Amino acid sequence: MNEVIGETAAADVDAARHKRVRRSVVWGGVAGAAGVVPVALKATEFWPWWLNLAFCLVLGGAGAFAGAVTGHREGRKTEVRRDSLEAGEREMGQYRVKIVPEGAEAPAPFKADDYTSYSLTTTTHRLQLWEFGYVPQWSHPWRDLHLTLDGHVVVITGPQGLLGRFVLGRNGGADGLVLAASRLRARAPGRSAVPESRAH
């Protein structure tokens, strides 16, 4: 009986997961197709309506396909991160980051289109570092972490010392992350002593 209940629960979880991924595919396709609207409106000034319609259908189809592929990929990554959560834990936010090697000069804050394969994910229980959005690097509860700012670089310290120095991928994100970390750490049960990390 328990095995049947377990299999049913697992089937429900899988169905919910597939539904969320399908939703990401649909929304990605819609967003990709919607990208053709400005082009279509601009092109009506230069082409006959029938040529413009044909062009929009082709471009819209390509945009929808590309958007659906992107949506599927991002949906799968989200599910991998969701699977890492404990019961009652929620994902709060995600920050694109560049890792700054210890002792290296901090790079300038990077723009939205700059490439990075790393991201920090905040949850109600912990902070996680991911590569490519689905390969876990580390995960630590808030009670074990201490975050400080060194200019625009976020310095993260754990029980064993420095976990990393990061430049965040959006303006104001560093201040918000450090503030959120302080609040979550203060609320975390069983806080452990983390060595203070002073910026120099």
Side-chain angles (χ1 to χ4, degrees), residues 29 107 121 126:
T121 297
R126 55 195 155 150

Side-chain angles (χ1 to χ4, degrees), residues 1 21 35 105 108 169:
M1 183 66 176
V21 171
E105 186 175 340

Side-chain angles (χ1 to χ4, degrees), residues 62-77:
F65 177 76
V69 169
T70 301
H72 183 265
R73 183 173 63 242
E74 294 305 314
R76 295 292 297 271
K77 289 179 182 180

Side-chain angles (χ1 to χ4, degrees), residues 98-139:
K98 284 185 179 178
I99 297 176
V100 182
E102 191 172 4
E105 186 175 340
F110 64 100
K111 302 173 185 174
D113 56 351
D114 286 350
Y115 175 75
T116 178
S117 62
Y118 292 96
S119 61
L120 285 170
T121 297
T122 57
T123 80
T124 49
H125 295 176
R126 55 195 155 150
L127 181 66
Q128 302 169 311
L129 178 65
W130 297 86
E131 188 171 10
F132 305 117
Y134 65 95
V135 180
Q137 300 299 302
W138 52 251
S139 176

Side-chain angles (χ1 to χ4, degrees), residues 169-185:
R170 64 184 190 217
N171 294 332
D175 292 331
L177 177 59
V178 171
L179 180 61
S182 296
R183 290 177 176 170
L184 289 164
R185 185 168 179 258

